[in-house]
Amino acid sequence: MTSPNYSDPSRAATYATPEQAQSDQKPYMQPQIQYVPQPNMQQGGPVPFGQQSGGQIYIMPNNYIDPSIAQIRDWLPWSITNIFVGWCLLGFLPLIFSLICRSRKTSNDASGARTMSTLALIFNILVTLAGLAAWIGLIIALVAINRATSNVTCYPYC
């Protein structure tokens, strides 16, 4: 690969010095571009950490999360609570949607994150209501069984 010619105006948009490439960027919107010059073969020795040889342009990954995506709720704490409220069986559904929503948020997929957030919210509501009804039903059944058995066993002695 040949080294870039910075003086050629037709290739100026393709190859830019690191200072030009970083100054032309909109903050947090484009990945950082770093030009690593080809090391002089006469110098020898190892290449410094973070640089590689070959005179290539490396594009640094963009780890920026858009503020509008960061405001999307993933309902993860409620989903974790629903594992206990929904008796593990139903509690995993909202947890799965919450985790998918969180992964879509980190990959800057706003529409997918909103969809998974809505599904996690709906399933959290359904599992919470069903779980509370089941817990209340279990308590009522235990009290009714206790009353029925306590009246039979203590009848002659009461």
Side-chain angles (χ1 to χ4, degrees):
M1 183 169 155
T2 61
S3 62
N5 184 2
Y6 295 116
S7 62
D8 185 11
S10 66
R11 300 181 63 109
T14 305
Y15 297 106
T17 62
E19 295 82 21
Q20 288 174 342
Q22 290 177 0
S23 66
D24 293 338
Q25 290 180 358
K26 296 176 185 173
Y28 303 113
M29 299 306 283
Q30 297 175 351
Q32 292 181 345
I33 298 173
Q34 177 184 8
Y35 176 73
V36 180
Q38 190 170 9
N40 191 349
M41 294 300 178
Q42 295 174 353
Q43 291 176 351
V47 178
F49 179 75
Q51 292 185 359
Q52 297 180 10
S53 64
Q56 300 173 357
I57 295 178
Y58 295 97
I59 298 176
M60 303 297 178
N62 188 359
N63 295 336
Y64 175 73
I65 297 175
D66 192 21
S68 64
I69 294 176
Q71 292 176 353
I72 299 172
R73 304 220 24 205
D74 56 10
W75 310 106
L76 189 61
W78 189 8
S79 299
I80 292 171
T81 305
N82 272 337
I83 291 175
F84 303 107
V85 172
W87 294 353
C88 289
L89 195 58
L90 294 175
F92 283 113
L93 285 173
L95 180 65
I96 290 169
F97 288 121
S98 295
L99 293 175
I100 292 172
C101 175
R102 184 165 279 198
S103 69
R104 298 260 172 109
K105 282 170 54 175
T106 56
S107 65
N108 285 333
D109 181 12
S111 65
R114 279 190 197 95
T115 303
M116 292 300 137
S117 175
T118 304
L119 286 172
L121 176 64
I122 290 170
F123 278 106
N124 273 324
I125 291 170
L126 293 175
V127 169
T128 300
L129 292 176
L132 289 176
W135 280 108
I136 291 171
L138 177 68
I139 292 170
I140 291 172
L142 289 176
V143 169
I145 291 171
N146 187 20
R147 279 193 178 192
T149 57
S150 66
N151 287 341
V152 171
T153 55
C154 74
Y155 176 70
Y157 305 108
C158 294

